[in-house]
Amino acid sequence: MARFSLRPMRWWDIEPVMVLEHRLFPDDAWSRGMYWSELAEAHPGGSRHYVVAVDEDGAVVGYAGLMAVGPDGDVQTIAVESGHQGAGLGAMLLTELIEESVRRGCAELLLEVRVDNLRAQRLYERFGFEPVGIRRGYYQPANVDALVMRLDHLASDASDLKDHHNG
């Protein structure tokens, strides 16, 4: 089984992230400019936290981002290269975002997921996220709805993360 490690996303990661972004999200990929804007806020005291997952050769095989403002956290993005899905990498990335939101004092963590992405929904449910609403036509230009999910009481749940990861 391949071994992965996480490290902070830097500007030089934008190009390999864009390759994955277009491969994984062909209809609603983020732009380079969006990642540049996100990374501009990923500094000590900034509102963003972005990481990349790299394999043993240093290749970017996944990435994830968090926005945290006061008590509110939002999973901005999470993605795993198709060939590495099912290997626990999504859980590793999500664990990192949840732990960072706890460190930042967030009371809740929200995310949007395509209503047709059942695999991702199952991952989020394993970590305790619950559906709280639908955003109609959220993913454009495909006009696909987003399921909004929320994880509450992060501080009290932090010690349970490893249990959720293994569940």
Side-chain angles (χ1 to χ4, degrees):
M1 184 165 138
R3 297 183 58 83
F4 308 104
S5 59
L6 300 183
R7 63 171 173 75
M9 185 188 292
R10 298 293 185 239
W11 66 266
W12 54 82
D13 295 313
I14 291 177
E15 286 311 310
V17 163
M18 290 308 301
V19 170
L20 289 176
E21 182 79 10
H22 286 286
R23 192 178 302 149
L24 296 168
F25 309 112
D27 295 333
D28 45 24
W30 283 18
S31 68
R32 280 174 184 78
M34 291 171 77
Y35 279 103
W36 279 102
S37 293
E38 291 294 292
L39 290 184
E41 290 298 321
H43 55 80
S47 61
R48 304 296 194 275
H49 176 73
Y50 274 76
V51 295
V52 291
V54 295
D55 65 13
E56 295 136 329
D57 298 323
V60 174
V61 295
Y63 53 93
L66 169 75
M67 176 179 69
V69 179
D72 303 318
D74 192 85
V75 173
Q76 298 291 88
T77 187
I78 187 166
V80 174
E81 185 178 78
S82 300
H84 293 294
Q85 291 178 1
L89 193 48
M92 178 188 253
L93 288 162
L94 185 57
T95 297
E96 169 64 22
L97 296 186
I98 294 170
E99 288 176 347
E100 182 65 20
S101 65
V102 169
R103 284 190 290 271
R104 291 174 180 236
C106 295
E108 69 176 15
L109 188 57
L110 292 167
L111 60 81
E112 293 87 17
V113 58
R114 285 175 66 112
V115 293
D116 57 1
N117 190 344
L118 300 180
R119 183 180 200 151
Q121 290 173 36
R122 285 194 303 269
L123 170 68
Y124 302 140
E125 287 168 356
R126 272 196 357 241
F127 277 77
F129 283 84
E130 296 180 349
V132 294
I134 297 283
R135 293 191 185 193
R136 302 277 175 219
Y138 183 81
Y139 292 99
Q140 294 295 330
N143 200 38
V144 175
D145 295 346
L147 175 65
V148 181
M149 300 182 81
R150 181 177 64 214
L151 178 62
D152 282 324
H153 307 105
L154 289 177
S156 63
D157 293 341
S159 62
D160 298 334
L161 282 180
K162 300 305 179 210
D163 295 334
H164 289 303
H165 180 298
N166 296 324

